[in-house]
Amino acid sequence: MSITTIAPGLTAGTWNIDPTHSEVTFTIRHLMTKVRGSFTEFSGSVQIADDLAGSTAHAEIKVASLDTRNADRDAHVRTADVLDVENHPAMTFDTKGVRAEGGEYYLDGDLTIKGVTRPVSLTVEFNGVAEDPWGGTRAGFSAETTINRKDWGIEFNVPLKGEGALLGDKVNLQLEIQAVRA
C-alpha cells in the first residue's frame, strides 16, 4: 500500500497533532436524547511509514478536560463513578497498524480508559495535505468508532421507570485531526 497512491502529498515521517486545529468529541445517549461532549486537551503524533500499513500513531487525552457544556454533569463524570480522573488522568490510543478493507481504511489499535486496554478499530478518512501560511505542511484526517463503555469498566447508571436507564452503553467517538509535518 504505497502512500502516494492512497494519500497524495502525505510523506513518510513524523506528523504531530495540532490540538488548536483538531477536535476529539463524543456522543452518548442521556435520557431520551444524545449528549455531545469534547475533550479539550490532547496530544499525539503519527509516524507515517513508506508502506502505509506500517504507519503508527499515539494519542493521549487528558480526561479532566471533558466538556459537555454542563458543569455539574462534567464534575460527576470526572469522579470515580465514571472516569475516575484522580486515578486515571489520561486515556491513550496506540495503533497496531492501518488496513484497507472494502474501499475503507481502518486504524487498528489499543484504547486505554481507566487502566483497561481493549482493541478498537477506527474508520479513517484522509482529507488531504496542504501548505499552511507559516511554511508548515499539514495533513487532515477524520476518524470515528463506537465503543461500549462497559468494556472499560464504566458501569455507572441510574434506572428509569420501566426498562430504561439514564445512560446508553454505546459511546461514539469522533476525531477531526490536523497534523503538522515535523
Side-chain angles (χ1 to χ4, degrees), residues 16-24 39-44 60 138 176-180:
N16 295 313
I17 293 173
D18 176 359
T20 304
H21 295 99
S22 300
E23 292 183 341
V24 176
F39 293 96
T40 59
E41 294 180 37
F42 51 90
S43 61
E60 182 173 301
R138 294 176 177 265
E176 290 297 328
I177 302 298
Q178 196 174 107
V180 182

Side-chain angles (χ1 to χ4, degrees), residues 9-32:
L10 189 63
T11 56
T14 301
W15 295 74
N16 295 313
I17 293 173
D18 176 359
T20 304
H21 295 99
S22 300
E23 292 183 341
V24 176
T25 61
F26 63 90
T27 55
I28 183 170
R29 187 182 53 72
H30 180 268
L31 292 170
M32 302 310 127

Side-chain angles (χ1 to χ4, degrees), residues 79-153:
T79 70
D81 279 350
V82 187
L83 290 176
D84 195 8
V85 171
E86 187 173 320
N87 292 305
H88 304 283
M91 287 189 275
T92 59
F93 178 75
D94 289 290
T95 61
K96 293 186 172 196
V98 178
R99 64 184 163 87
E101 192 174 289
E104 298 280 342
Y105 292 93
Y106 299 91
L107 190 60
D108 298 318
D110 290 327
L111 178 62
T112 301
I113 304 172
K114 285 183 69 172
V116 176
T117 302
R118 299 248 186 243
V120 298
S121 292
L122 287 89
T123 305
V124 178
E125 179 182 346
F126 174 63
N127 298 324
V129 173
E131 299 295 318
D132 66 28
W134 308 279
T137 303
R138 294 176 177 265
F141 306 90
S142 298
E144 71 177 306
T145 192
T146 300
I147 63 171
N148 185 321
R149 64 188 178 86
K150 290 183 176 181
D151 290 344
W152 280 266

Side-chain angles (χ1 to χ4, degrees), residues 25-29 34-37 170-174:
T25 61
F26 63 90
T27 55
I28 183 170
R29 187 182 53 72
K34 290 185 179 177
V35 168
R36 298 182 192 297
K170 292 181 180 181
V171 180
N172 186 262
L173 303 171
Q174 307 93 20

